[in-house]
Amino acid sequence: MSNRLVASKINLSPDSYPHLDHEKAKKFFYFLDISSATKKDYQARISHFLDFITEKGMDRNSFLEYKNYLKSRTDYTVSTKNKYLVTAKVFLKELNRRGILPADITQNIKSFSQSKKHKKEGLNDEEIETLTLALKDLPNTAENTRIKAIISLLVFQGLRQVEITRLDVKDIDLIRKTALIKGKGQDDKEIIYLHPETVKHIKYYLKKNNLKDSPLFICKSNNNKNKRITTRGLRMIIKKVLDDLEIDKCVHGFRHYFTTTLIKNYKGDLLRVAQYTRHRSLEMLQIYNDNIKMEADLPNYYRTFSGVKF
């Protein structure tokens, strides 16, 4: 490849340009100052962009052409399109930083505009009641205490799935009723206060499973037995519980429930709510608050047009 990125198409097959070899390209993300989870996401997605430019060739407009290609994919959500676009952008910027590409061809190209409103509903009060009644009837086995401990962290603490998987036994202080959480995008752990119900279920779980010094939740499957549970493994456990109760919601719906319930109880005091949900920006909490107000106002909206009948 020449030292100058010209306007004409360039043959960028892996043979002529080894940086486009999929495995070699993945290594470009190794030394970026990002979390290990984000690195894995980028490494999993970069092949999509590499296949595109290997087929089309590359010039100064390739990133824009890639965006237009993603735009044409009606089978992708806007969120998925942005994930692919960001991965390509990070990769191309790194090539430019290292002097492999003489120009940053991602400049002045925006990501896809994405609505910040929630497209999926969280669990509602009726579903939580159905769930809690079912949990009360479960026999006190080691597996059931694990399920109850995980669900208590979802319902009463609003923890993200990855935050639950990162917990160690030593992070839990049952005397002080606290836990040390490594939050989303955080380098250090932060303290949270545990609800009495959470303390009760974690205490039962630790005793029943005889856990002392290990990840708080470990895998029971043969392939990863006794290793730290993954977010996928956690989702499978909770999704089965929800499916058995015919509750058609995702695991993240617990965090929606947690946040919505707090906002309602604290009468829109978002600063106080943020202390419990650990949202770094109040913008997302405002979206929750707007949704709550909109739902509360719907009866008035319906009455406004009550006299119009067809």
Side-chain angles (χ1 to χ4, degrees):
M1 178 181 174
S2 67
N3 292 327
R4 191 166 58 89
L5 190 65
V6 295
S8 60
K9 298 290 183 182
I10 301 172
N11 178 14
L12 293 180
S13 67
D15 291 335
S16 63
Y17 187 46
H19 301 98
L20 294 189
D21 176 89
H22 289 212
E23 292 307 312
K24 291 180 180 178
K26 291 177 182 178
K27 294 179 181 179
F28 277 76
F29 300 105
Y30 283 173
F31 302 105
L32 297 183
D33 187 18
I34 53 179
S35 70
S36 58
T38 302
K39 288 178 187 178
K40 288 180 181 178
D41 287 342
Y42 287 162
Q43 290 168 338
R45 297 191 192 107
I46 191 58
S47 293
H48 191 273
F49 175 66
L50 297 180
D51 289 342
F52 175 82
I53 58 175
T54 298
E55 178 183 350
K56 304 288 185 180
M58 188 161 76
D59 61 25
R60 289 185 180 274
N61 295 316
S62 290
F63 186 65
L64 180 59
E65 290 172 356
Y66 182 58
K67 179 184 177 181
N68 290 334
Y69 163 72
L70 290 172
K71 186 176 182 180
S72 71
R73 292 293 299 263
T74 57
D75 54 328
Y76 291 169
T77 65
V78 174
S79 176
T80 297
K81 292 176 183 180
N82 273 331
K83 288 174 182 177
Y84 280 130
L85 196 65
V86 167
T87 299
K89 186 173 187 176
V90 170
F91 178 68
L92 291 169
K93 281 184 173 292
E94 181 63 7
L95 291 184
N96 175 238
R97 187 184 73 84
R98 296 190 184 194
I100 297 169
L101 285 182
D104 179 4
I105 64 173
T106 70
Q107 286 185 349
N108 301 321
I109 298 176
K110 300 177 181 179
S111 59
F112 293 99
S113 178
Q114 187 173 350
S115 171
K116 294 184 179 180
K117 290 188 176 181
H118 299 131
K119 297 179 178 65
K120 293 184 179 180
E121 291 184 1
L123 277 80
N124 57 41
D125 291 335
E126 292 75 18
E127 290 166 335
I128 290 294
E129 183 179 4
T130 299
L131 175 64
T132 54
L133 289 174
L135 292 176
K136 285 180 181 178
D137 292 336
L138 290 178
N140 195 32
T141 64
E143 177 60 22
N144 286 340
T145 59
R146 180 170 78 147
I147 290 173
K148 290 180 180 181
I150 292 173
I151 290 179
S152 70
L153 291 168
L154 292 167
V155 172
F156 299 112
Q157 311 302 148
L159 294 192
R160 301 175 178 92
Q161 296 164 55
V162 69
E163 292 171 340
I164 295 176
T165 64
R166 290 171 177 170
L167 280 169
D168 294 323
V169 173
K170 64 182 179 181
D171 293 327
I172 307 297
D173 188 334
L174 296 176
I175 304 299
R176 297 179 58 204
K177 297 183 176 63
T178 61
L180 293 174
I181 301 295
K182 188 175 181 183
K184 182 180 179 181
Q186 299 296 311
D187 295 319
D188 199 6
K189 294 182 178 181
E190 58 183 312
I191 192 169
I192 65 168
Y193 293 92
L194 300 176
H195 190 280
E197 283 292 305
T198 306
V199 173
K200 179 181 75 174
H201 289 300
I202 291 180
K203 184 177 181 180
Y204 289 162
Y205 164 68
L206 292 176
K207 183 177 181 180
K208 195 71 176 180
N209 290 270
N210 194 29
L211 295 176
K212 302 294 183 182
D213 186 18
S214 67
L216 184 59
F217 299 107
I218 57 178
C219 293
K220 301 293 183 69
S221 62
N222 292 330
N223 292 338
N224 297 302
K225 193 168 185 178
N226 296 328
K227 292 183 180 179
R228 185 182 300 276
I229 196 172
T230 63
T231 52
R232 181 175 180 273
L234 186 144
R235 281 195 298 272
M236 290 175 64
I237 293 170
I238 304 304
K239 196 67 172 67
K240 184 181 185 307
V241 174
L242 296 178
D243 288 346
D244 288 345
L245 296 173
E246 297 183 349
I247 297 175
D248 186 20
K249 298 291 173 65
C250 64
V251 179
H252 190 69
F254 283 99
R255 186 161 169 82
H256 284 250
Y257 166 78
F258 177 75
T259 304
T260 300
T261 303
L262 283 173
I263 292 175
K264 288 179 179 178
N265 185 71
Y266 284 98
K267 311 299 182 185
D269 184 353
L270 302 186
L271 287 174
R272 176 62 67 183
V273 171
Q275 293 180 314
Y276 291 104
T277 64
R278 292 168 294 109
H279 281 93
R280 284 178 286 178
S281 169
L282 294 184
E283 183 180 7
M284 184 57 69
L285 290 180
Q286 188 59 56
I287 293 172
Y288 279 99
N289 198 32
D290 290 343
N291 289 341
I292 292 170
K293 290 181 178 179
M294 178 65 76
E295 289 181 8
D297 190 62
L298 284 177
N300 184 46
Y301 164 58
Y302 298 153
R303 284 192 300 270
T304 302
F305 296 96
S306 61
V308 181
K309 305 290 184 182
F310 289 95

